[in-house]
Amino acid sequence: MTAKHLKPDYLFEVSWGVCDEAGGFPAALGTKAAKLKELFGEKYVFIFPDKFKGTCGNEKFIEDDFLFKSWRLKAQNDNINIRIGWWDIPGQPITILVDHVPLLSEKDNIFSHFWTKYGLDSLSGRWDYIEPAMFGYSAGQVIEHFYNYYLSAEDRFIALFHNWTSGAGILYLNDKVPQASTVFNTQGTVLGKAISERGINIEKEAQKIDPQNKAKELDVISKNSMELLAAKNADAFLTINEKTNKECKIIIGKAADVITGEETGMADKEPESYESRDWKAVIGNYYKAFDLAIKKANNRAELFKDKKRIAGAEELKTKSTQRLQWQKVSVYANIPPE
């Protein structure tokens, strides 16, 4: 499978749903993670919010003070507060918990910038919008910092963001790290959920639904705005099945680039139901999205080279070779080459 695809050098996966939560989405996420860990090894990294900031409530997070130690210390010195360890599931993928709380004092400036650049409407957003938005933004900062510390413009990396709750990370990377290949995955639109909770059949009433007016009526303007912009600015847009794809066409006005074929189910479903899936096909669909995202990012990189916004080819080649040699040593190595 990988021989036919553009395998990224690193894969970052970002979710507001933390590794200790129960239910359909975390169970599916964990099962898929084990499959991807087999393919990417230590170059597959999860990013979750550090909601608990301690061992209580983080039973499945195994902190490791020596993992990416020098980068963690540099990040903390640059006011990016993270903890690094392993998600205690089969495969134990590397996991970063990021503290987004310090960004709350900067939220007005951040939202103002996103309004100017993207038209993100955050005016009516309450706490349940603001906090995930700051997490998504901080996750973008973490990826940018990791990229600047360990990688070069010749390295391919995917940043996969789940749902609107992490969508600010796509906007951040699109603005700050155009070399990033971004992917947005939704299990269902926030407006679609609000409409369905009121007993309205979205497909049957599609012609009557004006998403902008409906978002205002149902008080989800800011969440809907974030979701639309994440879907439209990502290099690849994913959803889980054809039903959700139809919903995206109505609500977002854009069909998914790839349908993954994974069902997240409801919280009362047994985790074993996820093991019975054809994960080879699901992972293959993710690779299709990765291919699309990498190609778009490569095209952007060429444009930036033409405009002399990244270093010359020889310098990049030398730097990339040095760092690649360092990366092959171990994730426990302390200092990358300068």
Side-chain angles (χ1 to χ4, degrees), residues 233-292:
N233 283 279
D235 292 315
F237 175 35
L238 306 180
T239 193
I240 58 174
N241 55 33
E242 186 54 47
K243 181 180 179 181
T244 309
N245 191 36
K246 290 178 180 178
E247 179 184 316
C248 291
K249 292 177 185 177
I250 297 167
I251 302 300
I252 296 177
K254 174 182 170 67
D257 296 307
V258 178
I259 297 174
T260 64
E262 56 182 331
E263 299 279 353
T264 58
M266 302 300 289
D268 58 355
K269 290 223 179 151
E270 293 296 324
E272 288 76 8
S273 65
Y274 305 111
E275 290 289 353
S276 63
R277 265 192 218 115
D278 183 0
W279 281 104
K280 184 176 181 180
V282 171
I283 299 301
N285 289 332
Y286 271 94
Y287 263 95
K288 291 178 184 177
F290 295 166
D291 285 350
L292 177 61

Side-chain angles (χ1 to χ4, degrees), residues 38-217:
E38 295 174 6
L39 296 171
F40 287 93
E42 294 175 336
K43 294 185 178 181
Y44 177 40
V45 180
F46 268 97
I47 301 177
F48 295 114
D50 195 358
K51 293 182 178 180
F52 304 104
K53 300 181 180 63
T55 55
C56 181
N58 277 321
E59 287 79 8
K60 290 186 179 180
F61 174 69
I62 304 172
E63 190 165 6
D64 188 334
D65 290 336
F66 295 96
L67 189 59
F68 295 130
K69 182 178 179 181
S70 65
W71 170 63
R72 175 176 55 80
L73 295 174
K74 179 66 167 64
Q76 290 174 345
N77 188 58
D78 293 337
N79 298 316
I80 297 177
N81 298 316
I82 54 175
R83 293 194 291 144
I84 308 174
W86 313 89
W87 184 3
D88 192 14
I89 59 172
Q92 289 196 330
I94 293 173
T95 299
I96 298 171
L97 301 185
V98 56
D99 181 7
H100 57 277
V101 172
L103 282 180
L104 292 174
S105 62
E106 302 176 38
K107 68 181 188 305
D108 291 341
N109 290 333
I110 292 171
F111 287 143
S112 177
H113 175 66
F114 278 176
W115 164 254
T116 301
K117 185 171 181 63
Y118 299 105
L120 178 66
D121 188 348
S122 301
L123 285 177
S124 63
R126 297 188 176 87
W127 185 253
D128 60 349
Y129 164 79
I130 294 170
E131 191 173 13
M134 292 302 100
F135 160 68
Y137 190 95
S138 62
Q141 288 183 317
V142 169
I143 294 171
E144 177 191 31
H145 201 278
F146 187 98
Y147 169 79
N148 288 333
Y149 195 78
Y150 285 133
L151 308 179
S152 79
E154 285 193 343
D155 293 300
R156 299 170 177 166
F157 73 98
I158 294 286
L160 169 60
F161 295 85
H162 291 285
N163 297 315
W164 74 267
T165 45
S166 65
I170 292 173
L171 305 186
Y172 181 89
L173 290 178
N174 189 49
D175 185 24
K176 302 291 187 180
V177 191
Q179 300 94 328
S181 304
T182 56
V183 179
F184 180 61
N185 184 30
T186 181
Q187 286 74 44
T189 67
V190 64
L191 179 56
K193 179 181 178 182
I195 292 173
S196 298
E197 286 175 347
R198 285 153 179 81
I200 300 172
N201 187 305
I202 296 175
E203 289 186 42
K204 289 183 179 180
E205 301 295 326
Q207 299 300 321
K208 300 179 182 178
I209 296 174
D210 181 326
Q212 188 172 358
N213 290 335
K214 206 67 178 177
K216 183 177 181 180
E217 176 189 335

